[in-house]
Amino acid sequence: MKIPVFSFALVAALGLGAPAARAQHALWASKVTAVSSQKASGKEAFSPEQVLGAPNALPLGQISDKAWIPKKEGRDEFVEVRFARSVLAQQITVVENFNPGAVTKIELIDTHGEHHEVYTNDNPGPLPDSYRTLEVKIAPAKPAYRTIGAVVHLNTAKVEGVNQLDAIGVADVTQTMVKKDFKAPDADAAGVARFDSSLVNLGPSVNSQYVDTHPVISPDGRTLYFARQNHPGNIGGKNDPQDVWFSTLQSASAKTWGPAKNMGGPVNTAGFPNGLASVSANGQRLLLLGHYTPEGLVPKGPSTSEHRPGGWSQPTNVDIEDFYNNDDEHADYFLATSGKALLLAVERTDGLGEQDLYVSFPKPGPPGQPVTWTRPRNLGPNVNTKKADFAPFLAPDEKTLYFASEGRGGYGKSDIFYSKRLDDTWTNWSPPRNLGSVVNSPDFDAYYTVSAAGDDAYLVSTRNGTAGSKDIFRIALAPAFKPEAVTLVRGQVLDAATKKPIKAIIHYENLLTGEEIGTAESDPTDGSYTIVLPSGVQYGYRAEAANYIAENANLDVTARDKYSEQTQDLFMVPFAVGQTVKLNNIFFQQSKYYLRTNSYPELARLVRIMRDYPTVEIKIGGHTDNQGDPALNLKLSLDRVNEVKKYLIGKGITPTRITTEGYGGSKPVASNDQEDTRALNRRVEFTITKK
């Protein structure tokens, strides 16, 4: 077939590495999952990871160390990638930055792991151009599917010499990705965002004639934490440099806040500059500035405090490998909503200048033990400058970063910027964009925070502050500049038999990949929990507690493009003979017994239980609703549980430890009158028959 050739010169002229925050239609690959061959690995030059993110292999038409080179000259070289979220793809773009023409096939991978061929070229060969953007339009499919990955195949033997791929991207629009997403409109040519309204002072309930600073909004938007300096209500009175205060939302519609209250001890200590850096999704864990010691607060890193029945716990130090800060007076921290990334603003010898932004990740460790964190990784020159870069806030979508910088110019000494994380390296970011003159001014502007809903932002400014002091303001962000949509899930962790609350750890994961996205804890008093799930993924989540087995839940938010809230209680079954556990995250093809790939995380946990308890025996039961032929339903239910047993045996579980039975529609747990309740009857569960 004739291969369409698109001019790539426009790409270079527009700066492909700078996606405008205004549009979110384009997604560039964020993870390599498989590759046929490679000349290098990791982040080295020419490695497969060089295809991640927006195109950056310049100059075009020349070999670049920022693009992948297959090691072999073979008939079926390939690279398989995943995108950060799923999309209803209408096009895919493959950037061949050098020696194009070898691409023979492109497949899209949907959220169920199925492959869809969208491009074939039976006659690969050299092209007259030294580079090419291969842009493939995709016709609407029936049924529609959401794309989460792609595979690009090449016959490099047909195009002599080095063949390179720089980037792979998909979009949910038919317009050329370069023109649609990477050319900012004239009004935004300076990289400045637009807002819906002016700054609104939060008023006397929150602000005072003293310095009110460093606001932190809880993910549910109902509690605002902040710091007050030298206030008479501080633990040590007016001579106390700084305490943490909080205010609760009185009216969501009027956006009014109740009178501020001092958090008291042990969070606040007399005579020391106490500060709060971030709060967990359920408000039960605080990240605090400094280490708490018998001698007082020392600037050696952050601490954490947990809410218990009697109040907040004594803060415990956060252990970060190779932590140091050359400027003890300036340090900021932020813990991502998922608990999987810790941002730091510190000055280090491996930085670009003064304060830089870094990220640290939790190290694997035994359950129940304190988390330790990896050596801080610099976010790189796309974010950091030679001057101070500080006050990081990562939105609940885990991609949108807001921070203050003194090194990028703008309206005052420090302006607030935002940038989008483009892949999982945490060093590849879109060019930071100034939030504009409504947010930034010739005065001090910093400490920007956004709730999970993304409707309002809060920040500190000296403009029109009470008695000329720093105050906290609210501003409504235009929809085009909000973080990506998330779903806030809240509920209780309960004993399935007694319905009593349980203190547990909640894990949530991507059901397609099995990757754990984040963790949270339930309140020990009432079992309540809150998690925040970024859109574009089908999630599974479960609670873990000693002597219990979890009944997992799932939620598909692949197509949600607006903030939403959902209630879901999580049930835990006592680990005892006779107890039955529902396997809610096992999925089959419609009216068939073939397991879908998003069942594997649930099955892997069942395998782990059987391995951890080698004497346990179980009976797996299959159930259907009452629709259709009862005899066929009975057979289908048995075929499905036998397929589960087959999977377990394939993972090394002794066959004699597993029995199966299909019940068809004979044991409903809900009404069959409506589809939403009928779905509860279609289930697989297991009963512990021997422990």
Side-chain angles (χ1 to χ4, degrees), residues 631-668:
L632 292 178
N633 285 341
L634 184 66
K635 182 178 185 304
L636 178 62
S637 64
L638 181 60
D639 287 343
R640 285 179 167 178
V641 292
N642 283 336
E643 191 72 7
V644 173
K645 179 177 180 178
K646 178 181 175 182
Y647 180 93
L648 298 178
I649 294 172
K651 296 298 180 180
I653 306 303
T654 305
T656 56
R657 297 175 60 195
I658 308 164
T659 58
T660 60
E661 186 167 353
Y663 299 96
S666 64
K667 292 189 174 184

Side-chain angles (χ1 to χ4, degrees), residues 287-304:
L287 183 71
L288 304 169
L289 303 180
H291 281 186
Y292 288 67
T293 71
E295 293 74 32
L297 197 68
V298 295
K300 299 298 182 184
S303 302
T304 59

Side-chain angles (χ1 to χ4, degrees), residues 209-288:
Q209 61 181 318
Y210 302 89
V211 171
D212 303 291
T213 186
H214 208 313
V216 174
I217 188 75
S218 61
D220 64 7
R222 298 176 182 178
T223 306
L224 180 70
Y225 301 88
F226 60 98
R228 273 185 174 170
Q229 297 177 0
N230 301 110
H231 189 279
N234 285 358
I235 293 291
K238 290 183 66 174
N239 294 325
D240 197 330
Q242 184 171 285
D243 272 7
V244 180
W245 292 61
F246 71 98
S247 176
T248 55
L249 188 67
Q250 281 189 327
S251 170
S253 58
K255 300 183 180 180
T256 55
W257 294 88
K261 299 178 182 179
N262 189 301
M263 286 199 68
V267 171
N268 292 321
T269 53
F272 292 94
N274 305 110
L276 186 147
S278 59
V279 60
S280 64
N282 66 350
Q284 299 300 306
R285 174 173 291 184
L286 307 176
L287 183 71
L288 304 169

Side-chain angles (χ1 to χ4, degrees), residues 395-463:
D397 66 3
E398 307 269 311
K399 297 176 187 175
T400 307
L401 174 68
Y402 302 90
F403 65 100
S405 178
E406 296 181 359
R408 295 187 173 277
Y411 300 90
K413 182 183 178 183
S414 67
D415 277 12
I416 301 174
F417 294 80
Y418 76 88
S419 177
K420 290 279 189 179
R421 181 167 62 88
L422 302 178
D423 58 33
D424 292 335
T425 66
W426 289 80
T427 58
N428 189 15
W429 298 82
S430 67
R433 293 165 57 84
N434 191 299
L435 293 188
S437 59
V438 176
V439 171
N440 295 310
S441 72
D443 301 297
F444 176 88
D445 306 290
Y447 298 109
Y448 190 89
T449 180
V450 183
S451 69
D455 292 328
D456 293 308
Y458 300 84
L459 68 151
V460 172
S461 180
T462 55
R463 281 173 287 174

